[in-house]
Amino acid sequence: MSPAHPLTRRSLLSLTGLGAASLLASCSTSRPLPPGLRLDGPVLPAAPAGRTPELDAMYGEIYDGGFVIPAVPYWKIPSRFYRQQVIDPTGEAPGTVVVDTPGRFLYLVEPGGTAMRYGVGIGREGFAWSGAGVIQWRQKWPKWTPPDEMIARQPELEQYSSRNGGMQPGLMNPLGARALYIFKNGQDTLYRLHGNPEWNSIGKAVSSGCVRLLNHDIIDLYERVPTKAKIVVRQ
């Protein structure tokens, strides 16, 4: 046997191995990859449609008054209800708060013909009062004391009555992070603008409460609204 024969066999075996490896590699990369995997690392979930860094910052998790307010999945809320500056449609003087009950909007009128607009949810009590009043009092992280009329409808709320000291502040308190109390002619109307933990109630008529905003939005409104501001509620 010539000395070239073993070399030829080794070459052939080597070439055969390379071909098999090439074929194996070709087969393996032609198959669909398992979900969540890719050759250069894991696949990150796609951001929900409508999500932006600006809105992430506006409605992200915040720490306030000893409480951590969770981020709002705002992309699940119609965008017209996001906090935004608009051309003032109310005709009221700057500093006035206007609640458009049918439209589910609250406006804080600004100088120069603009207004800050917030989406709101309206409860049964929110349909019970209209007209003009004054934001006489406001409170950070308020207690909640349901009125006797509400307790009569929902007896389980007796534990939070004024007789029992009300519900302590917290994330599940129906008044949320802030409450603005509306008076007319020096009398409490029992009408409130307040935060709430139920983001999915914005833009809707809900079972109870007055006018509810996202906790993030009521905090923003609280800082902007003038002392003893006029409020107009339109039904």
Side-chain angles (χ1 to χ4, degrees):
M1 184 178 294
S2 69
H5 184 69
L7 181 61
T8 303
R9 287 188 61 190
R10 285 196 298 270
S11 300
L12 179 60
L13 290 172
S14 177
L15 290 172
T16 302
L18 287 173
S22 176
L23 180 61
L24 181 60
S26 174
C27 291
S28 66
T29 56
S30 65
R31 297 174 183 172
L33 293 170
L37 293 179
R38 44 187 291 179
L39 295 177
D40 57 350
V43 176
L44 297 177
R51 187 167 180 174
T52 70
E54 292 78 14
L55 289 169
D56 281 351
M58 184 182 297
Y59 291 120
E61 180 182 283
I62 56 176
Y63 181 82
D64 180 89
F67 300 97
V68 177
I69 300 175
V72 173
Y74 60 84
W75 53 89
K76 297 182 180 181
I77 303 172
S79 59
R80 66 183 180 276
F81 296 124
Y82 300 165
R83 183 199 325 159
Q84 54 194 287
Q85 188 179 56
V86 298
I87 301 300
D88 173 42
T90 72
E92 297 289 341
T96 304
V97 175
V98 179
V99 177
D100 172 10
T101 303
R104 309 291 193 265
F105 292 123
L106 181 150
Y107 298 90
L108 175 59
V109 183
E110 300 174 321
T114 61
M116 285 300 297
R117 189 179 76 186
Y118 307 82
V120 300
I122 304 293
R124 183 182 292 110
E125 285 74 18
F127 290 101
W129 188 82
S130 63
V134 175
I135 299 176
Q136 185 72 25
W137 185 49
R138 47 191 186 172
Q139 185 71 33
K140 295 182 178 181
W141 292 102
K143 285 186 178 182
W144 177 58
T145 307
D148 289 341
E149 295 82 1
M150 184 181 292
I151 294 173
R153 296 195 302 267
Q154 299 173 263
E156 68 275 12
L157 298 180
E158 171 62 32
Q159 61 181 315
Y160 304 124
S161 68
S162 57
R163 296 173 290 278
N164 290 315
M167 179 188 281
Q168 295 301 308
L171 293 176
M172 300 311 297
N173 184 304
L175 293 184
R178 304 286 189 275
L180 306 178
Y181 299 77
I182 314 306
F183 283 59
K184 183 173 184 177
N185 299 325
Q187 299 295 316
D188 187 355
T189 64
L190 302 181
Y191 194 84
R192 312 283 187 252
L193 311 177
H194 61 87
N196 87 102
E198 299 175 356
W199 57 264
N200 56 350
S201 67
I202 299 303
K204 300 176 183 177
V206 289
S207 61
S208 62
C210 297
V211 176
R212 53 175 64 185
L213 294 81
L214 296 171
N215 274 323
H216 296 66
D217 285 347
I218 194 66
I219 290 172
D220 183 84
L221 177 64
Y222 184 97
E223 297 301 325
R224 294 177 187 270
V225 71
T227 302
K228 305 294 179 67
K230 176 184 176 181
I231 180 169
V232 177
V233 178
R234 299 174 178 174
Q235 297 287 6

